[in-house]
Short mmCIF file of all heavy atoms in Angstrom, two decimals:
data_model
loop_
_atom_site.label_atom_id
_atom_site.label_comp_id
_atom_site.label_asym_id
_atom_site.label_seq_id
_atom_site.Cartn_x
_atom_site.Cartn_y
_atom_site.Cartn_z
N ASP A 1 -2.57 -17.61 -10.22
CA ASP A 1 -3.61 -18.27 -10.99
C ASP A 1 -3.26 -18.30 -12.47
O ASP A 1 -3.22 -17.25 -13.13
CB ASP A 1 -4.93 -17.52 -10.77
CG ASP A 1 -6.14 -18.31 -11.22
OD1 ASP A 1 -6.20 -18.67 -12.41
OD2 ASP A 1 -7.03 -18.55 -10.39
N ASP A 2 -3.03 -19.49 -13.00
CA ASP A 2 -2.70 -19.61 -14.42
C ASP A 2 -3.84 -19.13 -15.30
O ASP A 2 -3.62 -18.53 -16.36
CB ASP A 2 -2.37 -21.07 -14.77
CG ASP A 2 -1.05 -21.53 -14.17
OD1 ASP A 2 -0.21 -20.66 -13.86
OD2 ASP A 2 -0.86 -22.75 -13.99
N LEU A 3 -5.08 -19.38 -14.86
CA LEU A 3 -6.23 -18.97 -15.65
C LEU A 3 -6.29 -17.45 -15.76
O LEU A 3 -6.67 -16.90 -16.81
CB LEU A 3 -7.52 -19.50 -15.01
CG LEU A 3 -8.82 -19.24 -15.79
CD1 LEU A 3 -8.74 -19.81 -17.20
CD2 LEU A 3 -10.01 -19.84 -15.04
N LEU A 4 -5.92 -16.75 -14.68
CA LEU A 4 -5.88 -15.29 -14.72
C LEU A 4 -4.86 -14.82 -15.76
O LEU A 4 -5.14 -13.91 -16.55
CB LEU A 4 -5.53 -14.73 -13.34
CG LEU A 4 -5.30 -13.23 -13.25
CD1 LEU A 4 -6.52 -12.44 -13.73
CD2 LEU A 4 -4.93 -12.82 -11.82
N ARG A 5 -3.71 -15.44 -15.76
CA ARG A 5 -2.67 -15.06 -16.74
C ARG A 5 -3.16 -15.30 -18.17
O ARG A 5 -2.93 -14.47 -19.06
CB ARG A 5 -1.39 -15.85 -16.47
CG ARG A 5 -0.76 -15.52 -15.12
CD ARG A 5 0.52 -16.32 -14.89
NE ARG A 5 0.97 -16.15 -13.52
CZ ARG A 5 1.69 -15.11 -13.09
NH1 ARG A 5 2.03 -14.16 -13.95
NH2 ARG A 5 2.07 -15.03 -11.83
N GLU A 6 -3.86 -16.41 -18.37
CA GLU A 6 -4.39 -16.70 -19.70
C GLU A 6 -5.43 -15.66 -20.11
O GLU A 6 -5.47 -15.25 -21.29
CB GLU A 6 -5.02 -18.10 -19.70
CG GLU A 6 -4.01 -19.23 -19.55
CD GLU A 6 -4.69 -20.59 -19.37
OE1 GLU A 6 -5.94 -20.64 -19.51
OE2 GLU A 6 -3.99 -21.57 -19.07
N THR A 7 -6.26 -15.22 -19.17
CA THR A 7 -7.28 -14.22 -19.47
C THR A 7 -6.65 -12.88 -19.80
O THR A 7 -7.10 -12.17 -20.71
CB THR A 7 -8.25 -14.08 -18.28
OG1 THR A 7 -8.75 -15.37 -17.91
CG2 THR A 7 -9.43 -13.18 -18.64
N VAL A 8 -5.61 -12.53 -19.07
CA VAL A 8 -4.88 -11.29 -19.35
C VAL A 8 -4.30 -11.32 -20.76
O VAL A 8 -4.40 -10.35 -21.53
CB VAL A 8 -3.76 -11.08 -18.31
CG1 VAL A 8 -2.84 -9.93 -18.74
CG2 VAL A 8 -4.35 -10.79 -16.93
N GLU A 9 -3.72 -12.44 -21.13
CA GLU A 9 -3.14 -12.58 -22.47
C GLU A 9 -4.22 -12.55 -23.55
O GLU A 9 -4.03 -11.96 -24.62
CB GLU A 9 -2.35 -13.89 -22.56
CG GLU A 9 -1.08 -13.90 -21.72
CD GLU A 9 -0.38 -15.25 -21.75
OE1 GLU A 9 -0.82 -16.13 -22.53
OE2 GLU A 9 0.60 -15.42 -21.00
N LYS A 10 -5.35 -13.16 -23.26
CA LYS A 10 -6.46 -13.19 -24.23
C LYS A 10 -6.89 -11.79 -24.63
O LYS A 10 -7.16 -11.53 -25.81
CB LYS A 10 -7.64 -13.96 -23.63
CG LYS A 10 -8.88 -13.96 -24.49
CD LYS A 10 -10.03 -14.70 -23.80
CE LYS A 10 -11.31 -14.61 -24.62
NZ LYS A 10 -12.44 -15.31 -23.94
N TYR A 11 -6.95 -10.88 -23.66
CA TYR A 11 -7.41 -9.52 -23.95
C TYR A 11 -6.26 -8.54 -24.20
O TYR A 11 -6.50 -7.34 -24.35
CB TYR A 11 -8.32 -9.02 -22.81
CG TYR A 11 -9.63 -9.76 -22.77
CD1 TYR A 11 -9.84 -10.81 -21.87
CD2 TYR A 11 -10.66 -9.45 -23.66
CE1 TYR A 11 -11.03 -11.51 -21.84
CE2 TYR A 11 -11.86 -10.15 -23.63
CZ TYR A 11 -12.04 -11.17 -22.73
OH TYR A 11 -13.23 -11.86 -22.71
N ASP A 12 -5.04 -9.08 -24.21
CA ASP A 12 -3.87 -8.28 -24.58
C ASP A 12 -3.74 -7.02 -23.72
O ASP A 12 -3.58 -5.90 -24.23
CB ASP A 12 -3.94 -7.91 -26.06
CG ASP A 12 -2.63 -7.30 -26.57
OD1 ASP A 12 -1.57 -7.62 -25.98
OD2 ASP A 12 -2.68 -6.50 -27.53
N ILE A 13 -3.82 -7.22 -22.40
CA ILE A 13 -3.70 -6.07 -21.49
C ILE A 13 -2.63 -6.31 -20.43
O ILE A 13 -2.70 -5.76 -19.33
CB ILE A 13 -5.04 -5.71 -20.82
CG1 ILE A 13 -5.58 -6.91 -20.01
CG2 ILE A 13 -6.07 -5.24 -21.82
CD1 ILE A 13 -6.74 -6.55 -19.14
N ALA A 14 -1.64 -7.13 -20.77
CA ALA A 14 -0.59 -7.47 -19.80
C ALA A 14 0.16 -6.24 -19.30
O ALA A 14 0.68 -6.24 -18.18
CB ALA A 14 0.39 -8.46 -20.42
N ASP A 15 0.21 -5.18 -20.09
CA ASP A 15 0.96 -3.99 -19.71
C ASP A 15 0.35 -3.27 -18.51
O ASP A 15 1.05 -2.51 -17.83
CB ASP A 15 1.03 -3.01 -20.89
CG ASP A 15 1.94 -3.52 -21.99
OD1 ASP A 15 2.71 -4.46 -21.73
OD2 ASP A 15 1.87 -2.98 -23.12
N ILE A 16 -0.95 -3.49 -18.26
CA ILE A 16 -1.59 -2.75 -17.17
C ILE A 16 -2.00 -3.65 -16.00
O ILE A 16 -2.53 -3.16 -15.00
CB ILE A 16 -2.81 -1.95 -17.66
CG1 ILE A 16 -3.94 -2.90 -18.11
CG2 ILE A 16 -2.43 -0.98 -18.76
CD1 ILE A 16 -5.27 -2.19 -18.34
N VAL A 17 -1.78 -4.95 -16.12
CA VAL A 17 -2.19 -5.89 -15.06
C VAL A 17 -0.97 -6.38 -14.29
O VAL A 17 -0.01 -6.88 -14.87
CB VAL A 17 -2.96 -7.08 -15.64
CG1 VAL A 17 -3.28 -8.09 -14.54
CG2 VAL A 17 -4.25 -6.62 -16.31
N ASN A 18 -1.04 -6.25 -12.96
CA ASN A 18 0.02 -6.74 -12.08
C ASN A 18 -0.54 -7.86 -11.21
O ASN A 18 -1.50 -7.65 -10.46
CB ASN A 18 0.54 -5.62 -11.17
CG ASN A 18 1.06 -4.44 -11.96
OD1 ASN A 18 1.87 -4.60 -12.86
ND2 ASN A 18 0.57 -3.24 -11.65
N ILE A 19 0.06 -9.05 -11.33
CA ILE A 19 -0.36 -10.20 -10.53
C ILE A 19 0.66 -10.39 -9.42
O ILE A 19 1.77 -10.86 -9.65
CB ILE A 19 -0.48 -11.46 -11.41
CG1 ILE A 19 -1.48 -11.21 -12.56
CG2 ILE A 19 -0.92 -12.66 -10.57
CD1 ILE A 19 -1.56 -12.34 -13.56
N HIS A 20 0.28 -10.02 -8.20
CA HIS A 20 1.22 -9.99 -7.08
C HIS A 20 1.30 -11.29 -6.31
O HIS A 20 2.21 -11.48 -5.50
CB HIS A 20 0.84 -8.85 -6.12
CG HIS A 20 0.85 -7.50 -6.74
ND1 HIS A 20 1.97 -6.71 -6.81
CD2 HIS A 20 -0.14 -6.79 -7.35
CE1 HIS A 20 1.69 -5.57 -7.41
NE2 HIS A 20 0.41 -5.59 -7.75
N GLY A 21 0.31 -12.17 -6.49
CA GLY A 21 0.29 -13.40 -5.71
C GLY A 21 -0.11 -13.12 -4.26
O GLY A 21 -0.72 -12.09 -3.94
N LEU A 22 0.22 -14.05 -3.39
CA LEU A 22 -0.12 -13.90 -1.97
C LEU A 22 0.93 -13.07 -1.25
O LEU A 22 2.12 -13.36 -1.30
CB LEU A 22 -0.21 -15.28 -1.31
CG LEU A 22 -1.40 -16.15 -1.75
CD1 LEU A 22 -1.22 -17.57 -1.25
CD2 LEU A 22 -2.71 -15.56 -1.23
N ILE A 23 0.48 -12.01 -0.57
CA ILE A 23 1.35 -11.20 0.27
C ILE A 23 0.63 -11.01 1.60
O ILE A 23 -0.57 -11.27 1.70
CB ILE A 23 1.70 -9.84 -0.39
CG1 ILE A 23 0.46 -8.94 -0.47
CG2 ILE A 23 2.30 -10.04 -1.77
CD1 ILE A 23 0.79 -7.52 -0.91
N PRO A 24 1.32 -10.57 2.66
CA PRO A 24 0.67 -10.40 3.96
C PRO A 24 -0.59 -9.53 3.88
O PRO A 24 -0.62 -8.53 3.15
CB PRO A 24 1.76 -9.73 4.81
CG PRO A 24 3.04 -10.21 4.21
CD PRO A 24 2.77 -10.28 2.74
N ARG A 25 -1.60 -9.94 4.64
CA ARG A 25 -2.89 -9.26 4.57
C ARG A 25 -2.78 -7.77 4.91
O ARG A 25 -3.46 -6.94 4.28
CB ARG A 25 -3.89 -9.94 5.52
CG ARG A 25 -5.27 -9.31 5.48
CD ARG A 25 -6.29 -10.15 6.21
NE ARG A 25 -7.57 -9.47 6.23
CZ ARG A 25 -7.98 -8.66 7.20
NH1 ARG A 25 -7.20 -8.46 8.25
NH2 ARG A 25 -9.16 -8.08 7.15
N ASP A 26 -1.96 -7.42 5.88
CA ASP A 26 -1.81 -6.01 6.24
C ASP A 26 -1.33 -5.18 5.06
O ASP A 26 -1.75 -4.02 4.88
CB ASP A 26 -0.84 -5.85 7.41
CG ASP A 26 -1.42 -6.35 8.72
OD1 ASP A 26 -2.65 -6.58 8.77
OD2 ASP A 26 -0.67 -6.51 9.69
N GLU A 27 -0.45 -5.75 4.25
CA GLU A 27 0.04 -5.03 3.07
C GLU A 27 -1.04 -4.91 2.01
O GLU A 27 -1.16 -3.87 1.35
CB GLU A 27 1.27 -5.76 2.50
CG GLU A 27 2.49 -5.74 3.41
CD GLU A 27 3.68 -6.44 2.78
OE1 GLU A 27 3.78 -6.47 1.53
OE2 GLU A 27 4.52 -6.96 3.54
N VAL A 28 -1.84 -5.97 1.84
CA VAL A 28 -2.94 -5.91 0.88
C VAL A 28 -3.91 -4.81 1.27
O VAL A 28 -4.37 -4.03 0.42
CB VAL A 28 -3.68 -7.26 0.81
CG1 VAL A 28 -4.90 -7.16 -0.10
CG2 VAL A 28 -2.75 -8.35 0.30
N ILE A 29 -4.24 -4.73 2.55
CA ILE A 29 -5.18 -3.71 3.02
C ILE A 29 -4.68 -2.31 2.71
O ILE A 29 -5.43 -1.44 2.25
CB ILE A 29 -5.44 -3.88 4.54
CG1 ILE A 29 -6.30 -5.12 4.77
CG2 ILE A 29 -6.10 -2.64 5.12
CD1 ILE A 29 -6.50 -5.48 6.21
N LYS A 30 -3.40 -2.07 2.93
CA LYS A 30 -2.85 -0.73 2.63
C LYS A 30 -2.91 -0.44 1.13
O LYS A 30 -3.14 0.71 0.72
CB LYS A 30 -1.42 -0.63 3.16
CG LYS A 30 -1.34 -0.54 4.67
CD LYS A 30 0.09 -0.38 5.16
CE LYS A 30 0.14 -0.08 6.65
NZ LYS A 30 -0.48 -1.12 7.48
N ARG A 31 -2.72 -1.48 0.30
CA ARG A 31 -2.84 -1.27 -1.14
C ARG A 31 -4.30 -0.97 -1.51
O ARG A 31 -4.57 -0.19 -2.43
CB ARG A 31 -2.34 -2.51 -1.89
CG ARG A 31 -0.85 -2.78 -1.71
CD ARG A 31 0.02 -1.71 -2.34
NE ARG A 31 -0.07 -1.68 -3.78
CZ ARG A 31 0.74 -2.35 -4.59
NH1 ARG A 31 1.71 -3.11 -4.11
NH2 ARG A 31 0.59 -2.26 -5.90
N GLU A 32 -5.23 -1.60 -0.81
CA GLU A 32 -6.66 -1.29 -1.04
C GLU A 32 -6.96 0.16 -0.67
O GLU A 32 -7.69 0.85 -1.39
CB GLU A 32 -7.52 -2.24 -0.22
CG GLU A 32 -7.49 -3.69 -0.68
CD GLU A 32 -8.13 -4.64 0.31
OE1 GLU A 32 -8.58 -4.20 1.38
OE2 GLU A 32 -8.17 -5.85 0.01
N TRP A 33 -6.41 0.62 0.44
CA TRP A 33 -6.64 1.99 0.87
C TRP A 33 -6.14 3.01 -0.15
O TRP A 33 -6.70 4.09 -0.28
CB TRP A 33 -5.94 2.23 2.21
CG TRP A 33 -6.54 1.52 3.38
CD1 TRP A 33 -7.66 0.72 3.37
CD2 TRP A 33 -6.08 1.52 4.73
NE1 TRP A 33 -7.90 0.24 4.63
CE2 TRP A 33 -6.95 0.72 5.49
CE3 TRP A 33 -5.00 2.12 5.37
CZ2 TRP A 33 -6.78 0.50 6.86
CZ3 TRP A 33 -4.83 1.92 6.73
CH2 TRP A 33 -5.71 1.12 7.47
N ARG A 34 -5.08 2.67 -0.87
CA ARG A 34 -4.47 3.61 -1.82
C ARG A 34 -5.09 3.53 -3.21
O ARG A 34 -4.82 4.37 -4.07
CB ARG A 34 -2.96 3.34 -1.94
CG ARG A 34 -2.17 3.57 -0.65
CD ARG A 34 -0.69 3.57 -0.92
NE ARG A 34 -0.31 4.70 -1.77
CZ ARG A 34 0.39 4.60 -2.89
NH1 ARG A 34 0.78 3.41 -3.34
NH2 ARG A 34 0.69 5.68 -3.59
N SER A 35 -5.93 2.54 -3.44
CA SER A 35 -6.46 2.31 -4.78
C SER A 35 -7.57 3.29 -5.13
O SER A 35 -8.37 3.68 -4.28
CB SER A 35 -6.99 0.87 -4.88
OG SER A 35 -7.32 0.55 -6.20
#
């Protein structure tokens, strides 16, 4: 999402934001479990 990238830049927090894009749902779920 380009708008997401623009919002990250607006608030100058690019160092802590990771934009992973689309990855398999099973992997996303495991990342949710660890969050």
